[in-house]
Amino acid sequence: MIGFDYGTSNCAVGVMENNQPALIKLTDNSCYLPSTLYAPSREIIVNWLYQQLPSQEQQTFKELRLMPLQKGQSVARELALDGISTELSFGHGALAAYLAEPDEGYYIKSPKSFLGASGLMPQQINLFEDIVAAMMSNIKSLTEEKLNREVTQTVIGRPINFQGLKGEESNLQAISVLTNAAKRVGFRDVEFQYEPVAAGFEFESTLDKETKVLVVDIGGGTTDCSMLLMGPEFSLLNDRTDHLLGHSGVRIGGNDFDIQLALKGLMPEFGLDSLLKTNKPVPSYSYWQAMAINNINDQTEFYSQSNRRYLQQLQRDAKQPELIERLLLLQEQKLSYRMVNGAEQGKIALTESDLTPIDLTDISPELSVTVSRELMAKAAHQELATIANIMQQAIEQAQCQPDVVFVTGGTAKSPVINQFLTKQMPNTPVVIGDHFGSVTAGLTRWAARVFG
């Protein structure tokens, strides 16, 4: 049995060792594998997955995906004739493959962000299910290789709310995708636990008395808040429903901070906030679309031929056409992920420094942009205000004040975020947990409870 954090930014797996959760090294250097996938062509993902499935699953899967499998086989043959590998890449390898040739192949970061999206066609849902299954198959294989045994039971973390306009219907859609994918790749028993609740379980192991804990989990794609009644006398119970006093969640996370930093910090070098020859501002919508890597519709529209013609006309109308030329290059070479990744690296660097340069010389010679913590705070002011709001919602729902605030999630490493959260509750102790490992450890503890 394992605890499985299928995260928006990273994946991690934990097992119990000597009654304590231990994270497994998924690579030689890290317990965390970035939630990214690269394929030479989108059509071959289904074929790669088919080859990885347990033999008893292959026939059923073939019946479900007959036409995509046939198309994938045709594309795979064409790639082979061109001497191109039909293997998939994951984690850092996927990002490296994308950055080497951004306009080739198929790259996806944080597919979890799309699972609850409204208006998906059945074919799109099937594609996301196959992407998730491929990533889970890779994680499962790495885990079994490290443990030298088969893994068939898992507790998977989930946010309070997945992205989607239809509330619980969107949540059910996302859970269905995750469940189908997990069972397809060989997990026999699959349970789910709220990510902030799981993080709370890990914090609970440090408590020596009954405590009301407000857990704030700022992940890659969502921020979730749970007010929990915790303490050593509760930790061995299998049903903790009565101890979840209030919770709220929103689809705002580390990806959104990256996008906002890219927009406010980098996009001015591509023409945002510049002027047309008429002295009117250059329209900003294309810049939002370009950076909206977590919105399928915006990305599709930005990379359309009609939008290219629009941007070409925009360049002719601009006072500084050389800036719009960079935006055209971004569109032509499909550099959205490249730009947001640059902003993400800048955000990470700002954890240690007030200022940091972001190198963009691969896009334009001598182009480098310096960003600051102050700029990041201004860029993310709306996201921060929303996080403050859901913290208050969880407290109001619980009808009591927390004794302590426990903060976890990779984005929470940022001093900008830490300072903001501390200001929200100046009279309550704020404990900063293991930014990446708390959720996985808590999921692992819960797996031991429900499967033990």
Side-chain angles (χ1 to χ4, degrees):
M1 67 189 74
I2 60 170
F4 187 0
D5 183 8
Y6 180 71
T8 304
S9 295
N10 294 283
C11 296
V13 169
V15 293
M16 293 299 287
E17 293 181 355
N18 301 318
N19 293 320
Q20 292 297 320
L23 271 61
I24 294 171
K25 275 197 171 184
L26 296 174
T27 69
D28 290 339
N29 303 314
S30 178
C31 297
Y32 307 100
L33 188 72
S35 302
T36 55
L37 176 149
Y38 177 86
S41 170
R42 186 180 71 179
E43 286 74 19
I44 69 169
I45 294 173
V46 67
N47 298 79
W48 184 92
L49 175 60
Y50 175 76
Q51 297 296 327
Q52 312 304 313
L53 293 181
S55 56
Q56 65 271 22
E57 284 286 336
Q58 286 187 333
Q59 184 56 41
T60 302
F61 185 68
K62 189 173 183 179
E63 293 170 3
L64 289 171
R65 299 284 196 274
L66 183 59
M67 290 186 66
L69 278 167
Q70 290 174 340
K71 185 174 183 181
Q73 288 169 353
S74 176
V75 172
R77 284 192 294 270
E78 292 175 11
L79 291 171
L81 288 172
D82 292 335
I84 299 173
S85 170
T86 57
E87 285 298 304
L88 305 189
S89 301
F90 303 91
H92 293 295
L95 178 60
Y98 161 72
L99 291 176
E101 294 184 285
D103 54 343
E104 299 290 338
Y106 178 80
Y107 175 76
I108 185 165
K109 176 184 178 182
S110 310
K112 185 179 176 182
S113 297
F114 302 108
L115 301 186
S118 304
L120 293 181
M121 301 293 288
Q123 301 94 317
Q124 290 175 303
I125 293 176
N126 289 345
L127 173 63
F128 284 125
E129 194 173 288
D130 294 344
I131 289 170
V132 172
M135 296 172 73
M136 286 186 171
S137 176
N138 179 58
I139 295 284
K140 188 171 186 286
S141 295
L142 292 171
T143 300
E144 291 174 341
E145 182 181 329
K146 296 289 185 181
L147 297 177
N148 197 30
R149 63 176 184 268
E150 186 181 13
V151 176
T152 60
Q153 297 176 312
T154 184
V155 172
I156 300 174
R158 58 154 292 182
I160 303 295
N161 289 304
F162 291 85
Q163 178 187 10
L165 301 176
K166 296 185 178 180
E168 193 54 30
E169 184 178 331
S170 294
N171 290 336
L172 291 172
Q173 174 182 289
I175 291 295
S176 175
V177 169
L178 289 168
T179 302
N180 291 342
K183 292 199 169 183
R184 182 156 292 144
V185 301
F187 287 110
R188 186 179 67 245
D189 300 314
V190 179
E191 298 286 341
F192 291 89
Q193 180 57 269
Y194 290 127
E195 289 156 355
V197 174
F201 289 153
E202 182 59 14
F203 180 60
E204 184 176 50
S205 68
T206 69
L207 298 176
D208 58 9
K209 63 180 180 179
E210 182 178 309
T211 307
K212 293 186 288 294
V213 183
L214 177 63
V215 180
V216 182
D217 178 17
I218 308 177
T222 57
T223 295
D224 295 309
C225 298
S226 291
M227 180 75 92
L228 303 165
L229 185 62
M230 314 211 92
E233 65 270 35
F234 305 133
S235 62
L236 297 180
L237 298 177
N238 285 344
D239 185 358
R240 300 297 300 273
T241 306
D242 291 343
H243 303 145
L244 179 56
L245 306 179
H247 62 206
S248 57
V250 66
R251 203 226 57 79
I252 287 177
N255 286 349
D256 299 278
F257 289 96
D258 302 338
I259 288 168
Q260 292 300 326
L261 186 58
L263 277 167
K264 301 299 192 296
L266 307 184
M267 284 294 97
E269 297 295 333
F270 293 74
L272 182 64
D273 300 329
S274 65
L275 297 175
L276 300 171
K277 292 173 182 175
T278 60
N279 285 327
K280 292 182 178 180
V282 167
S284 62
Y285 190 54
S286 287
Y287 296 93
W288 287 89
Q289 288 181 321
M291 296 298 96
I293 60 170
N294 52 6
N295 188 301
I296 299 171
N297 295 329
D298 279 347
Q299 288 279 281
T300 300
E301 187 174 335
F302 179 74
Y303 286 108
S304 67
Q305 284 301 310
S306 61
N307 189 52
R308 179 157 190 83
R309 291 190 293 271
Y310 166 75
L311 295 179
Q312 288 168 338
Q313 183 60 52
L314 193 65
Q315 183 184 24
R316 290 190 285 270
D317 295 339
K319 268 191 176 181
Q320 296 173 279
E322 69 277 7
L323 298 183
I324 310 301
E325 184 177 358
R326 290 174 180 167
L327 184 61
L328 276 162
L329 179 67
L330 188 157
Q331 200 252 14
E332 177 187 347
Q333 297 188 4
K334 298 182 180 178
L335 296 174
S336 291
Y337 283 108
R338 158 68 184 92
M339 297 298 296
V340 176
N341 180 67
E344 180 184 11
Q345 299 311 308
K347 177 189 73 177
I348 293 170
L350 289 174
T351 302
E352 305 296 336
S353 175
D354 286 330
L355 297 170
T356 189
I358 298 176
D359 185 355
L360 300 173
T361 52
D362 58 320
I363 298 173
S364 183
E366 300 182 9
L367 179 58
S368 179
V369 179
T370 297
V371 295
S372 65
R373 289 179 182 174
E374 182 182 4
L375 174 65
M376 180 178 166
K378 288 180 179 177
H381 74 278
Q382 187 171 342
E383 285 72 19
L384 291 171
T386 302
I387 290 173
N389 185 48
I390 65 166
M391 289 170 64
Q392 194 58 40
Q393 285 178 16
I395 292 170
E396 290 174 0
Q397 194 179 120
Q399 298 183 330
C400 60
Q401 291 294 316
D403 300 314
V404 63
V405 179
F406 177 67
V407 183
T408 186
T411 303
K413 290 182 71 175
S414 168
V416 172
I417 310 298
N418 285 339
Q419 291 169 13
F420 178 82
L421 293 177
T422 301
K423 286 181 181 178
Q424 303 314 301
M425 311 204 65
N427 300 317
T428 304
V430 176
V431 176
I432 307 299
D434 179 346
H435 291 294
F436 291 106
S438 295
V439 171
T440 311
L443 293 172
T444 304
R445 289 182 185 277
W446 193 242
R449 296 301 308 155
V450 297
F451 296 130

